Amino acid sequence: MSIFETIESASDVRKREFEKNNPSVTPPKKRIPSTIRVSENVPKAKIRILHVLESIDLSGMQAHIMNLYRNFDRSHIQFDFLITRDPTPTGKEFPSSDELLRHRRAGFFDAEITRLGGHVYAIPTYSSSNLFGYTELVNSFFAQHEGEWKIVEGHMYSAASIYLPLAKRHGAITIMHVGSVIDAGLVQKIRRANFSSPILKEDCADICFASSVGAARAIFGDIAVDSGRIHVIQDGINIQNFLYNGKIRDAFRDKLGLANTFVLGCVAQFHKNQNHEFLFHVFAWMQKILKEDPTGEYDTLKGLPMKILLIGDGEEIMNAAKVAADLGIIGQVLFLGTWGNVYDFYQIMDYFVYPANLNGAPAALMEAQASGLPCMASDTISKDINLTGLINYFSLSESPEAWAYRILDEMNKMGVAAPAKTEDEYYDYDTLMNLHRLLSGKEEPEPQKNFDQKSYLMNRSASPRMVERIFRNAGLNIEQEVSFMTRLYQEIGVPAQKKEAVSAEQPV
């Protein structure tokens, strides 16, 4: 059974549930396939915004921008994208946008951007050796498109002090937007290049945003953040997509052969800072501890089938796979690549592990919480995102062995158990005790013992309303972010004399 068939099953489940719960609602029209170009049918936007990114492949920042893009009223706000490409395949040092696009594979979001009415442009990758040619080319690009974009929003840090002032010279309002997470290596590279200073100069970005306080401090520095120069807007998510759904869980686990398996999961691109190799060492230690266990502390976990499920892609995937093979756990690791419906894969998991060497508030941990998953994360991650109490933090200065013991201890506390020879159930625990405590206001959770698998799944399936309430109260629903960003873009992108007219046209 292919994974594509599995995903169709998940979609069918959602469709059946919607039709069952909303019998009077007119069925939605069939979605236009993403391969059909219909941009000419999209109404002309009053404000066009150019987002500058390294790529339009599926990763955290790109996925979030596309999530916003889908939810905007595109008759008022439209997005275009400027990405970087290696010019080598063109045979030129400074090729045009069209030449670069002809010599590249399509990005993950290419077809959808076209369908939504956006355009994709390209410039050569910046390096210190091509500074003058790069600057001239970017200046020419913005001169050619002068007046086309009211706002240019940069998400690519390496050359922001070059392309943002040039965009501003040609009439655009400029925004620097730092993502929700920043890896430590990038921070050091930026500081060595003395880059955070020019990015704050008045001739660079008119407005500076960050998706988390940790990321803002890492890039812009404490002084800028504490003085109020950096505006922090946390990324919203489509809460409904991530809420626990038992039917989708069963469909995926059954077709992936995980019906009686304890699944540790991680959603992250394969880059050094995401620490997949560390995760594999942790998992290998878990196996070793369970095999030896001289004190019998983990007797209930012995014989428990366990696997790691990984969503993501990247340049380090082959190196990570080699580490898993060397550790003898490659057969217990599922490399599933990137998926647009990542929310369905959270349903499969039983425990989320995120040992990344990052600063900030990764969307994956927000999504895992929305799915009701207990999590273990590195202590560099912001404590502010632990909205549900489901995240346990542990230091990366600790060894993989220490992480393994910590996770096994957590599994013991949750009541996870290996399959009984006479029963079908393979584990039993209540993952949402902290949620119940948080919502009830009680200092200590009520004692609950010996939850079987059925009870755990019932508790997890009862949690969506609680999770949704928590995320909405925190302002982290995508609709809330879209409403805010719409007002923001209209405020900074529309001339003062036209704002009253635009405001009157905006839907209430």
Side-chain angles (χ1 to χ4, degrees), residues 178-192:
V178 172
S180 58
V181 293
I182 300 295
D183 70 272
L186 176 61
V187 172
Q188 293 301 319
K189 182 178 179 181
I190 290 174
R191 288 177 177 169
R192 281 197 301 269

Side-chain angles (χ1 to χ4, degrees), residues 313-353:
D313 206 343
E315 70 270 11
E316 290 292 323
I317 190 168
M318 295 308 296
N319 291 335
K322 184 179 184 305
V323 171
D326 292 342
L327 291 170
I329 62 169
I330 190 69
Q332 294 170 275
V333 182
L334 299 176
F335 296 89
L336 297 189
T338 54
W339 296 90
N341 64 327
V342 64
Y343 40 81
D344 286 325
F345 290 92
Y346 285 98
Q347 312 296 331
I348 303 174
M349 303 172 190
D350 295 305
Y351 197 91
F352 195 83
V353 187

Side-chain angles (χ1 to χ4, degrees), residues 254-265:
D254 181 59
K255 292 181 179 180
L256 291 175
L258 300 171
N260 292 310
T261 304
F262 187 84
V263 179
L264 288 86

Side-chain angles (χ1 to χ4, degrees), residues 249-422:
R249 172 186 169 90
D250 291 343
F252 268 70
R253 289 174 68 93
D254 181 59
K255 292 181 179 180
L256 291 175
L258 300 171
N260 292 310
T261 304
F262 187 84
V263 179
L264 288 86
C266 184
V267 177
Q269 294 294 80
F270 280 83
H271 301 306
K272 281 290 186 183
N273 56 65
Q274 294 290 358
N275 238 354
H276 286 90
E277 295 181 11
F278 186 90
L279 173 58
F280 294 156
H281 281 280
V282 171
F283 189 77
W285 268 105
M286 290 174 67
Q287 306 299 303
K288 177 178 173 63
I289 292 167
L290 290 177
K291 183 178 180 181
E292 298 176 354
D293 189 23
T295 64
E297 184 177 359
Y298 304 109
D299 276 348
T300 58
L301 300 176
K302 292 175 181 176
L304 174 66
M306 287 192 286
K307 287 195 176 182
I308 304 177
L309 187 152
L310 301 174
I311 302 295
D313 206 343
E315 70 270 11
E316 290 292 323
I317 190 168
M318 295 308 296
N319 291 335
K322 184 179 184 305
V323 171
D326 292 342
L327 291 170
I329 62 169
I330 190 69
Q332 294 170 275
V333 182
L334 299 176
F335 296 89
L336 297 189
T338 54
W339 296 90
N341 64 327
V342 64
Y343 40 81
D344 286 325
F345 290 92
Y346 285 98
Q347 312 296 331
I348 303 174
M349 303 172 190
D350 295 305
Y351 197 91
F352 195 83
V353 187
Y354 196 84
N357 182 23
L358 299 167
N359 295 285
L365 279 169
M366 304 296 289
E367 295 164 356
Q369 288 181 88
S371 297
L373 283 170
C375 310
M376 179 73 73
S378 51
D379 64 356
T380 59
I381 301 301
S382 171
K383 308 300 186 295
D384 295 336
I385 66 169
N386 191 9
L387 301 176
T388 62
L390 290 172
I391 302 178
N392 285 292
Y393 295 91
F394 205 47
S395 175
L396 286 175
S397 64
E398 300 286 349
S399 66
E401 180 183 6
W403 274 67
Y405 273 110
R406 183 70 173 267
I407 294 173
L408 290 172
D409 287 342
E410 289 297 317
M411 292 169 66
N412 264 344
K413 289 178 183 177
M414 294 185 300
V416 180
K421 293 182 180 180
T422 58

